[in-house]
Amino acid sequence: MVRFRDPRKSSRPKEDSALDAVRSKFAAFLALLERHHQAMTIISDMEEKSQGEYLFDLNYIRTSVAQIRNCVSRLVDIMIELGGARYQILRDRFAEIGARIDDSLPWCRSTGIDRFTLPLAEIGREQACSVGSKNAQMGEMKSKLNLPVPDGFAITAWSCRHFREVNDLNDRISKRLAAVNFLEYDDLVRISGEIQSMINRAPIPDDLAEAIHTAYRELATNNPGARFALRSSALGEDSWFSFAGQYATFLNVQPEKLLECYREILASKFTPKAIYYLLSHSLVEDDLAMGVGLVEMIDARAAGVLYTRNPVNPESTQLQVHAVLGLGKSLVDGRCDPDVFHIDRANMEIVGRTTALKDIRLVMSPDGGTVEESVPDEERTVPCLTDDQARRLAELGVEIETHYNKPQDIEWAIDHDGRIFLLQTRPLKIVSTETPSEPIDVSGFEVLRSGGVTVCPGAAVGYVYPVSSVDDLPGVPDKAILVTRQPFPGLVTVMGRIAAIVTEVGGPATHLGTIAREYRIPTIAGIDEPQTLPRKTPVTVDAIEGAVYAGAHPELVEARQPDYDLFADMDIFRLLEDLLVHVAPLHLVQPADPGFVPENCRTMHDITRYVHQKAIEEMFYGGIRVGDSTQVFHRLKTEVPLTVDMIYLDRELPKSPSRREVKDSEIGSKPMEQFWSGLMSEGWPHKSRPKYQASFPSVLGHKGRESGYSENSFAVISREYMVLSLRMGYHFSTVEALSTSDSNKNYIRFQHKQGGASLPRRIRRVKVISELLSRLGFVHQSKGDFLSASIGHLDGNRMAEILHAVGRLTVMTKQLDMALSTDQIADWYTEEFAKRLGLAAGENPA
């Protein structure tokens, strides 16, 4: 840190005391500026990632959220240190914004002490972190939307934590998960067996067991003769990450087996497939406590899945109803092909249908559990639903989609009396694609199979590898075309290394379909006898046209490659966007506005902006109101329409306030004078307009003081040091420099943030400035519209040249973002300014 000599003694104790107080705050002020720099870097990096040009994962989000919280928390602490208790309210605002961030990360919140059970009628989606998303959405539909949802109760995530804590399971589970190689199936099986064995041997605490039995007796009393199902509802399940089909569900559970089945659901969190899903998504196990739902079982005549959008064709406005006879488990497990109804959302007319052949159906067994039975001949070719039932389901789907404001994947059932029940809703996984501009001719390809149904679009080349059970999975080679008659539990464990999936039974509405779209594995269903495809030569799977071709056709793979809107349909990207709502938008801009108060801080960026402004005021006014006779700053007297207040660290205040104006030719700080001379030499405004100047707002040609400059700029300076916080319209620049006789100590740091134009235009301005600073020798880093650059170890002459050039560049790029509508224009300005600065190719830097 820069050190300054003590000021001379003075006979003016009041003013010297004020100046000493400011100097004592300077170290804290510099620490605040450093934290401000870190916060702006994090926010800008998150905004940049949200533009869809960079890959990131959940660890990035977790780390970024932790970093921005740490930075802003420290900013608030320093602000209180600088300004006192009147800024304590910032801690309340920080806590409230942090709580909203927590609501966007329900699986990342620790579950505190809670009731062991909660009735569905008392639950809403805001309690997802208590009962899991599946239970929360059922409660939302039941209690908030008054939709037909079975009666039931949730066993909370706190119950799971209580069970694990009482039985001392947490550390033992964590150690085993830390040791597993989730890419090795045998290792997954071994670790899974160890963890599940620990859980299944552990007794359920008496208080929890009594709570479950009490809630069950009350539910059974209110629903005489009903049978019940136990369903997983882990934190995070059916939300950002589906965990579709990864956890256990028990249908038609007998009362005496409630606790046993509950414990098995807790253990199902650690099946090989669930561990693989957890670790392959970089999730933290302790964040995902297991909630469980006990709900009334519907004796279904028909059941299925309703998609409020087409999951593989988001441009379509049709709803899809997938239906099977009996219980819906046979559909989502991929054991039965469904009837499919396509319904126009505009008029609820059925515009297409497919009727499947029905051989078997899944029904409740009188002795508990379920059993498969043959479908009578007269029902095998008859649709599962009437047209009116299909339309009514579509109407309910639109109502639910409207409530959640996003496409939904809804499970439903219809009992033997024709009553519709809604069993589950979750965000629909959609694959966004664009049709390739150049169609490919496949007429010369040898067709091995055709007529398949697209489950996840795309194409792939590889060698066929048939599987029929989990015992076959350890041998699956990399980039294999995995073929199976029907989906089965465990396929998710090889998703990371296969090229495509081909099945005979199933379709888009299966758990496999949901998972395949998450992992973006080209998948087709409805292919006859896929196990008999040739294995010794490569094949090409076309999951868009539903065909398999002999041989390798990389040109087809290229043509069929979905042109994903890089992250638009990915949970992780939508999560980042949701988080940015509470992190990045800036609502507090002008300090002169009445609304520039801490109560209006709605984002981390708002707090950062407010603290930065108030820290400057505390630094320069020492907490004293503008106009007070004991102000400790000097006012820069200049023709430029900027108000710049300065504090000298090595100069006493003149006795008379009228003598505290300093001409820009008499600043007395070498780096400040060099920078300011560059700013003045460039002129204000520009004397001539370059080629693209017509795109600039008229303010550039206005010679009066601009309304956007109501906020002062500030500098802390000494003979050899400066730090200038410069407000230029709607963007901020900070220039810090130390210029001594020792070149090893000398440096210049430059920061730039924000602007008045859209984010893409602001980013283009940053690129222009970055390129010009790079030509001056700066090392720079930019994230979104935030730029940080530095240069050091310069002799005095070079320091003077570069500070002069930076001053000129500051004026040149003022409100430049307004003009940068394209990259071409940005490139033109880069070269135009380079010529004016003497930085064009072949020229020595000015």
Side-chain angles (χ1 to χ4, degrees):
M1 181 176 173
V2 182
R3 296 181 182 273
F4 304 98
R5 59 186 174 84
D6 292 335
R8 294 171 296 170
K9 293 183 179 180
S10 170
S11 60
R12 300 186 304 279
K14 182 177 180 181
E15 285 155 333
D16 280 354
S17 175
L19 186 57
D20 288 344
V22 172
R23 285 171 172 151
S24 70
K25 291 181 177 180
F26 191 56
F29 178 69
L30 288 180
L32 184 143
L33 290 182
E34 178 61 27
R35 287 289 182 173
H36 179 268
H37 164 71
Q38 293 173 9
M40 288 296 95
T41 300
I42 297 164
I43 292 171
S44 297
D45 187 67
M46 293 174 74
E47 287 182 309
E48 186 177 57
K49 293 292 191 298
S50 75
Q51 298 300 299
E53 297 180 2
Y54 300 92
L55 293 171
F56 59 92
D57 59 14
L58 190 62
N59 281 329
Y60 167 80
I61 290 181
R62 184 181 286 111
T63 299
S64 297
V65 168
Q67 288 175 338
I68 193 63
R69 277 177 152 157
N70 179 273
C71 281
V72 177
S73 175
R74 185 60 186 136
L75 279 172
V76 171
D77 290 343
I78 298 174
M79 189 68 249
I80 294 170
E81 178 184 343
L82 285 172
R86 64 180 175 276
Y87 294 110
Q88 287 281 0
I89 187 175
L90 290 170
R91 285 187 172 141
D92 296 334
R93 300 305 305 136
F94 174 79
E96 290 178 20
I97 295 167
R100 291 200 298 269
I101 289 175
D102 282 341
D103 288 339
S104 296
L105 291 168
W107 64 88
C108 292
R109 297 177 65 190
S110 60
T111 305
I113 296 176
D114 199 353
R115 292 161 59 184
F116 287 136
T117 66
L118 289 169
L120 285 182
E122 297 179 11
I123 294 172
R125 59 177 166 172
E126 68 278 1
Q127 289 159 282
C129 58
S130 173
V131 298
S133 183
K134 189 182 296 183
N135 282 332
Q137 308 319 322
M138 287 188 70
E140 182 81 5
M141 290 190 293
K142 187 177 185 68
S143 63
K144 304 288 180 62
L145 298 181
N146 294 316
L147 295 177
V149 173
D151 201 5
F153 64 87
I155 306 173
T156 62
W158 163 244
S159 300
C160 170
R161 294 188 186 278
H162 179 61
F163 167 80
R164 287 172 54 163
E165 288 172 4
V166 168
N167 288 289
D168 195 25
L169 294 173
N170 290 324
D171 287 344
R172 289 186 285 164
I173 290 172
S174 296
K175 288 177 181 177
R176 283 164 174 79
L177 288 178
V180 69
N181 179 358
F182 71 90
L183 297 178
E184 294 292 336
Y185 186 76
D186 289 342
D187 209 24
L188 283 172
V189 171
R190 178 179 61 82
I191 293 298
S192 169
E194 292 177 5
I195 296 176
Q196 287 188 296
S197 178
M198 286 191 299
I199 293 172
N200 285 322
R201 290 198 309 266
I204 294 179
D206 291 342
D207 52 355
L208 174 57
E210 178 57 29
I212 293 173
H213 281 306
T214 299
Y216 171 78
R217 286 192 294 268
E218 182 178 346
L219 180 63
T221 299
N222 293 333
N223 298 274
R227 289 183 266 185
F228 300 95
L230 270 174
R231 309 170 70 195
S232 68
S233 182
L235 303 194
E237 184 182 3
D238 287 346
S239 57
W240 294 110
F241 299 97
S242 71
F243 286 88
Q246 304 308 300
Y247 301 141
T249 288
F250 293 93
L251 305 180
N252 196 17
V253 177
Q254 299 297 303
E256 64 273 14
K257 293 188 176 180
L258 276 180
L259 297 184
E260 177 186 340
C261 290
Y262 171 69
R263 184 166 45 207
E264 288 193 36
I265 291 176
L266 301 187
S268 74
K269 187 179 173 183
F270 303 101
T271 61
K273 60 180 181 176
I275 294 174
Y276 178 89
Y277 189 96
L278 174 89
L279 299 180
S280 67
H281 282 87
S282 302
L283 299 169
V284 177
E285 184 276 326
D286 191 50
D287 293 340
L288 303 170
M290 179 66 77
V292 175
L294 193 149
V295 296
E296 181 186 358
M297 185 87 184
I298 304 303
D299 185 12
R301 181 195 174 277
V305 171
L306 163 63
Y307 290 154
T308 64
R309 302 280 171 174
N310 187 327
V312 296
N313 181 15
E315 301 304 317
S316 171
T317 61
Q318 297 173 6
L319 298 94
Q320 293 184 356
V321 177
H322 299 249
V324 295
L325 290 177
L327 301 174
K329 191 174 190 297
S330 61
L331 168 61
V332 297
D333 286 350
R335 286 184 287 174
C336 293
D337 290 330
D339 294 344
V340 182
F341 297 81
H342 301 269
I343 302 170
D344 190 322
R345 70 177 51 240
N347 54 23
M348 290 296 150
E349 290 299 318
I350 298 172
V351 294
R353 72 181 77 215
T354 302
T355 303
L357 179 65
K358 305 162 185 65
D359 295 322
I360 60 170
R361 59 187 170 197
L362 190 69
V363 298
M364 288 194 289
S365 168
D367 299 325
T370 60
V371 63
E372 285 186 358
E373 68 176 22
S374 296
V375 177
D377 291 341
E378 64 273 15
E379 296 182 39
R380 291 190 174 193
T381 58
V382 177
C384 299
L385 305 177
T386 66
D387 288 358
D388 286 344
Q389 288 172 330
R391 280 192 287 264
R392 179 56 185 151
L393 283 166
E395 290 169 352
L396 291 170
V398 171
E399 183 178 352
I400 296 170
E401 180 186 78
T402 301
H403 178 72
Y404 286 98
N405 197 31
K406 62 183 63 174
Q408 294 292 298
D409 171 350
I410 303 163
E411 294 186 16
W412 56 268
I414 298 178
D415 68 10
H416 289 274
D417 294 324
R419 296 178 299 175
I420 294 175
F421 292 90
L422 302 174
L423 309 180
Q424 178 177 331
T425 189
R426 61 187 173 202
L428 176 62
K429 312 298 176 182
I430 295 179
V431 178
S432 297
T433 65
E434 293 183 5
T435 303
S437 57
E438 292 294 331
I440 188 165
D441 182 10
V442 298
S443 61
F445 295 177
E446 180 185 353
V447 180
L448 298 175
R449 298 288 191 281
S450 62
V453 176
T454 300
V455 175
C456 181
V461 171
Y463 287 85
V464 169
Y465 192 89
V467 296
S468 58
S469 72
V470 294
D471 295 336
D472 301 322
L473 297 180
V476 174
D478 289 345
K479 305 302 180 184
I481 305 297
L482 189 145
V483 301
T484 183
R485 183 183 180 278
Q486 67 182 43
F488 57 86
L491 287 181
V492 68
T493 61
V494 295
M495 288 286 190
R497 64 177 189 265
I498 59 177
I501 301 173
V502 180
T503 73
E504 183 172 350
V505 181
T510 61
H511 289 323
L512 174 66
T514 299
I515 298 296
R517 290 190 291 273
E518 280 191 37
Y519 283 89
R520 294 186 172 178
I521 305 296
T523 302
I524 51 178
I527 295 295
D528 291 337
E529 298 183 346
Q531 301 95 321
T532 63
L533 287 166
R535 298 183 58 182
K536 294 185 178 180
T537 57
V539 302
T540 300
V541 174
D542 183 350
I544 290 180
E545 295 299 327
V548 181
Y549 301 106
H553 298 286
E555 70 278 16
L556 177 65
V557 175
E558 175 111 10
R560 295 286 193 259
Q561 184 64 35
D563 187 8
Y564 295 110
D565 180 7
L566 187 58
F567 294 118
D569 58 322
M570 290 181 64
D571 296 324
I572 197 75
F573 180 70
R574 291 190 291 110
L575 171 58
L576 178 60
E577 287 185 324
D578 277 6
L579 286 170
L580 281 174
V581 170
H582 310 299
V583 173
L586 185 62
H587 306 97
L588 273 62
V589 179
Q590 295 288 357
D593 289 345
F596 196 90
V597 293
E599 289 83 357
N600 288 338
C601 289
R602 293 154 53 188
T603 66
M604 293 294 182
H605 198 172
D606 284 336
I607 293 179
T608 303
R609 170 73 182 101
Y610 180 84
V611 166
H612 183 255
Q613 174 61 28
K614 293 302 175 181
I616 290 174
E617 293 178 12
E618 294 293 339
M619 182 67 223
F620 286 88
Y621 302 128
I624 302 167
R625 291 183 296 104
V626 179
D628 194 295
S629 62
T630 58
Q631 285 177 351
V632 296
F633 59 80
H634 295 71
R635 176 68 53 82
L636 183 63
K637 186 177 182 180
T638 178
E639 295 180 359
V640 172
L642 288 172
T643 300
V644 182
D645 293 329
M646 304 182 298
I647 286 180
Y648 284 90
L649 293 167
D650 55 0
R651 180 188 297 186
E652 290 188 42
L653 283 167
K655 184 174 183 179
S656 170
S658 63
R659 297 177 57 193
R660 293 177 188 171
E661 279 196 340
V662 177
K663 296 180 181 179
D664 51 20
S665 59
E666 301 174 352
I667 294 175
S669 169
K670 182 165 56 175
M672 181 70 174
E673 287 177 347
Q674 292 162 352
F675 171 84
W676 203 257
S677 68
L679 186 148
M680 293 295 295
S681 70
E682 188 58 29
W684 195 289
H686 294 299
K687 295 182 174 68
S688 62
R689 291 174 181 250
K691 177 180 178 182
Y692 284 106
Q693 193 75 11
S695 299
F696 273 44
S698 60
V699 70
L700 286 178
H702 182 50
K703 295 186 178 181
R705 185 173 301 277
E706 302 173 44
S707 61
Y709 298 152
S710 59
E711 180 184 342
N712 293 358
S713 298
F714 301 91
V716 177
I717 58 178
S718 70
R719 186 172 62 86
E720 297 178 332
Y721 175 78
M722 68 169 282
V723 56
L724 170 65
S725 178
L726 193 62
R727 172 70 181 267
M728 301 282 286
Y730 292 97
H731 82 262
F732 303 86
S733 295
T734 302
V735 183
E736 183 183 9
L738 181 66
S739 180
T740 70
S741 59
D742 184 351
S743 61
N744 290 321
K745 294 181 179 180
N746 294 343
Y747 65 85
I748 304 170
R749 295 176 184 147
F750 177 86
Q751 293 179 16
H752 170 101
K753 173 68 177 172
Q754 295 179 354
S758 62
L759 180 59
R761 295 188 184 215
R762 302 200 308 266
I763 291 173
R764 291 188 186 103
R765 174 166 60 178
V766 162
K767 290 180 179 178
V768 171
I769 299 172
S770 298
E771 174 59 26
L772 294 171
L773 290 177
S774 180
R775 296 188 191 188
L776 284 168
F778 281 78
V779 174
H780 61 82
Q781 180 181 22
S782 62
K783 297 291 184 183
D785 66 350
F786 179 74
L787 168 66
S788 178
S790 63
I791 189 172
H793 303 283
L794 305 171
D795 62 33
N797 291 334
R798 188 66 182 138
M799 283 286 294
E801 291 172 355
I802 293 181
L803 281 167
H804 184 87
V806 172
R808 292 184 63 193
L809 183 60
T810 298
V811 175
M812 288 179 181
T813 57
K814 176 178 68 73
Q815 292 186 311
L816 178 66
D817 53 332
M818 298 292 188
L820 303 182
S821 57
T822 68
D823 291 341
Q824 178 189 8
I825 295 176
D827 293 342
W828 187 90
Y829 274 109
T830 299
E831 296 308 318
E832 173 67 19
F833 292 162
K835 292 175 186 176
R836 291 165 58 179
L837 291 170
L839 300 175
E843 296 185 79
N844 292 321

